[in-house]
Amino acid sequence: MRGPVGCGRATGAVARLAADDVSGLVSHLRWVEASWIEKTMLGGTIDAPWTEDDPDREFLIAVEVPLAQLLAEYRDACARHRDLVASLDLDAPSRGALDWRAEPLTLRWILLHLTEETARHNGHIDILRELADGVRGR
């Protein structure tokens, strides 16, 4: 399937921007999952790259890391998180502090939220990939 006339593979700055944004989204997904599972669900701590002064730092630092490395780190983090929650009941309450509600969340809620977030960003990545290579999905 082809795009509209004039659409095709991006070049130069647009292609580089698309690649940088893909890297940033992969980094973001990796760190957001760590935050929800390790910090919110299990009550632990993470050494996240963001700060109060730079809340989107996980996006910015990703441009310095090869995409293959980011994908491997994300894959490893996902496997570790699956192992961490495998023995928990889906209705297990979260142990981490929440600044936006008093009652805990459930593992079910957190996993659904992560599924939604991953799906949303996967769509963003698909758009960026299409900009970079010009190939449309079906």
Side-chain angles (χ1 to χ4, degrees):
M1 180 176 269
R2 296 187 52 113
V5 175
C7 288
R9 183 187 158 117
T11 58
V14 173
R16 183 68 245 159
L17 180 61
D20 289 350
D21 286 347
V22 168
S23 295
L25 285 164
V26 172
S27 178
H28 172 72
L29 285 168
R30 183 251 177 155
W31 285 106
V32 165
E33 181 165 320
S35 181
W36 279 106
I37 298 296
E38 296 178 43
K39 188 176 173 191
T40 303
M41 183 65 208
L42 301 176
T45 59
I46 62 169
D47 190 22
W50 54 73
T51 65
E52 273 190 42
D53 293 335
D54 196 356
D56 296 322
R57 188 164 178 261
E58 77 275 19
F59 287 95
L60 304 174
I61 63 171
V63 300
E64 304 297 326
V65 181
L67 183 57
Q69 180 181 335
L70 290 168
L71 290 167
E73 289 173 357
Y74 181 42
R75 192 176 308 111
D76 292 347
C78 289
R80 184 175 66 256
H81 297 142
R82 277 193 302 275
D83 290 344
L84 287 171
V85 301
S87 65
L88 299 178
D89 186 85
L90 287 173
D91 293 320
S94 61
R95 295 182 229 153
L98 299 167
D99 60 2
W100 52 279
R101 66 184 274 158
E103 60 277 346
L105 300 168
T106 63
L107 177 59
R108 180 186 321 272
W109 188 96
I110 290 171
L111 293 176
L112 179 59
H113 177 73
L114 286 171
T115 300
E116 292 170 337
E117 176 135 354
T118 302
R120 182 172 44 258
H121 290 313
N122 188 52
H124 299 147
I125 289 170
D126 191 45
I127 291 166
L128 293 167
R129 187 229 14 101
E130 186 176 322
L131 284 171
D133 68 15
V135 178
R136 286 185 55 197
R138 294 182 188 239

